[in-house]
DNA sequence: TTTTGTGCAAAGACTTTGCACAGGA
DNA sequence: TCCTGTGCAAAGTCTTTGCACAAAA
């Protein structure tokens, strides 16, 4: 999905929620749509500013909250750092964080997903959501 | 392991680190050793106070940091709540959080552990630590 | 025009820290 | 005695919010 199309789908999601598309939000949606990493609120704010669209940090947080409520972005809360955000288009995946560089990589493993569901079921629960993060170091 | 024995092992760990055992720390270690749930700093503070041992919240945080640095307790950072702590005696386990009640249950699954290591290895990494949390709801 | 959004600064939640005094070893 | 620990309050970090003004629809 290209950047503009993704930004459009963010706009639709917000409109669906009865939220207005303002200059600030439009700019922020494009910054988010273009992000290939997993930026935090401050980084998104900086990128929007850099792109010439002044947006206050408060608005960044408010817009992120609205997008998250609509389920079009995901909030990632890794250990000991500010929350990061990513578009929620694709399929579910988990994260691997390089403790040396801070780089985040995504991965999926069907077997792990299945095992999680089984474990929960055995204990009498169903999974609402889960969080699996591998903090890793490059092998030498 | 009974409470006193566990508290003793905490003391030893601190002494090994060249940390003094003060009245406050001794009290806190006992509160921690007795905890069967996964209390946060404020709860530990309240329990110590209730037990008649006044400890400031700052000291609670400082002592928890020292214990964590020694590896005898683990800091759990679940989504959207203050950090919780648990003794690190037993074997490794992951956590299942009931989103309705906040109750935390522990579980282990050897297969998931192995799969995680495999995934990391395939991508050229080794795991430093990991975090697996299932946010669940009781099945109806 | 009506209603929601924005920016700012203040407040909030959790955690850490500087400093002067207290108290372990 | 010497040096670390303690309590307090202040500061720090990330995030949310009240309010008056601005701007979508």
């Amino acid at each position: 999905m290209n950047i503009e199309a993704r930004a459009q789908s963010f706009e639709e999601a917000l409109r669906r929620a009865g939220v207005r598309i303002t200059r600030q939000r439009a700019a922020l949606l494009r910054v988010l749509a273009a992000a290939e990493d997993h930026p935090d609120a401050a980084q998104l704010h900086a990128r929007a500013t850099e792109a010439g669209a002044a947006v206050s940090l408060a608005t960044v947080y408010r817009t992120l909250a609205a997008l998250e409520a609509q389920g079009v972005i995901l909030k990632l809360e890794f250990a000991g750092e500010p929350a990061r955000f990513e578009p929620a288009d694709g399929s579910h995946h988990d994260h691997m964080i390089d403790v040396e560089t801070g780089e985040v990589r995504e991965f999926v493993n069907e077997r792990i997903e299945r095992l999680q569901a089984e474990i929960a079921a055995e204990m009498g629960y169903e999974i609402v959501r889960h969080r699996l993060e591998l903090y890793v170091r490059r092998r030498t």
Side-chain angles (χ1 to χ4, degrees), chain A residues 68-86:
Chain A
E68 198 201 356
Q70 285 310 106
V72 294
I73 64 169
L74 291 175
K75 184 180 190 177
L76 308 175
E77 300 178 89
F78 299 142
E81 42 171 298
R84 297 167 174 237
F85 299 85
E86 68 175 19

Side-chain angles (χ1 to χ4, degrees), chain A residues 70-110:
Chain A
Q70 285 310 106
V72 294
I73 64 169
L74 291 175
K75 184 180 190 177
L76 308 175
E77 300 178 89
F78 299 142
E81 42 171 298
R84 297 167 174 237
F85 299 85
E86 68 175 19
D89 3 291
S91 51
H92 165 74
H93 56 255
D94 295 306
H95 298 92
M96 192 178 290
I97 300 96
D98 186 321
V99 296
E100 233 90 271
T101 67
E103 192 199 352
V104 177
R105 297 188 58 179
E106 305 177 349
F107 69 89
V108 226
N109 186 290
E110 235 351 283

Side-chain angles (χ1 to χ4, degrees), chain A residues 8 26 34 37-38 51 57 73-74 85-87 96 120 123 126-127 133-134 140:
Chain A
Q8 291 291 343
D37 49 352
H38 302 75
L57 192 50
I73 64 169
L74 291 175
F85 299 85
E86 68 175 19
M96 192 178 290
M123 295 175 79
E126 61 189 10
I127 294 181
E133 287 151 22
L134 306 182
T140 47

Side-chain angles (χ1 to χ4, degrees), chain A residues 109-116 118:
Chain A
N109 186 290
E110 235 351 283
R111 284 197 285 163
I112 288 187
E113 300 294 321
R114 223 165 24 237
L115 283 168
Q116 289 175 0
E118 282 172 24

Side-chain angles (χ1 to χ4, degrees), chain A residues 23 27-28 31 41-56 60:
Chain A
R23 176 186 62 73
L28 197 51
V31 169
Q43 290 172 315
L44 291 168
H45 177 249
R47 290 178 199 179
T49 304
E50 206 171 312
V55 182
S56 73
V60 171

Side-chain angles (χ1 to χ4, degrees), chain A residues 6 32 37 59 63 104 110 122 125 136:
Chain A
R6 182 181 273 172
L32 252 178
D37 49 352
T59 292
T63 302
V104 177
E110 235 351 283
E122 271 167 32
Y125 294 97
V136 300

